[in-house]
Amino acid sequence: MKTEQITWILRITASVILLQTLYFKFTAAPESVYIFTTLGVEPYGRIGSGIIELIVAILILVPKTTWLGALGGFGLMTGAVFSHLFVLGIDVKGDGGLLFSLAVITLLCCLVLLYQNRNVIINLLKTK
């Protein structure tokens, strides 16, 4: 498989996972309310993270801003994974670890996208 195809698979995978959670966050689904209440940031954390996830998903899909979206996605998913590991647990309300798994998959997709865009990031850091 060509690198371009792999890149698009990573972009679409990360974006679809980020976008599919928005319905639950923006409609105050009981699972989302439980998660953000447990974290002590309901409702602002739930709504705020949903807005950021929407922006990140769009940035990931646009080739020129993929690196920026992947950086944001990496930050978001690092927070999600740590929240699962240290506060929520892997299995949240009997989901069998699905939310944790989706966070890890998205995190890995973003890491690979960041690696693929490392030259863009390095060039931006080198500019005056």
Side-chain angles (χ1 to χ4, degrees), residues 31-40 79-95 99-100 103:
E31 297 84 3
S32 286
V33 172
Y34 169 80
I35 289 168
F36 288 94
T37 299
T38 303
L39 295 174
V81 168
F82 284 161
S83 294
H84 278 279
L85 291 176
F86 298 113
V87 180
L88 300 168
I90 304 286
D91 185 326
V92 177
K93 295 189 73 95
D95 76 343
L99 291 175
F100 177 75

Side-chain angles (χ1 to χ4, degrees), residues 1-78:
M1 204 179 285
K2 295 181 181 178
T3 304
E4 181 78 16
Q5 291 171 322
I6 292 170
T7 300
W8 274 106
I9 289 169
L10 293 168
R11 285 178 183 152
I12 291 168
T13 300
S15 293
V16 165
I17 291 171
L18 289 166
L19 292 171
Q20 64 91 21
T21 64
L22 296 181
Y23 172 80
F24 300 100
K25 286 185 174 124
F26 292 148
T27 61
E31 297 84 3
S32 286
V33 172
Y34 169 80
I35 289 168
F36 288 94
T37 299
T38 303
L39 295 174
V41 292
E42 172 64 27
Y44 302 108
R46 174 176 50 82
I47 295 166
S49 68
I51 292 168
I52 294 168
E53 287 177 15
L54 175 60
I55 293 167
V56 163
I58 293 167
L59 289 172
I60 287 172
L61 289 174
V62 177
K64 287 189 177 192
T65 60
T66 295
W67 69 272
L68 186 57
L71 187 62
F74 174 77
L76 283 168
M77 292 304 109
T78 298

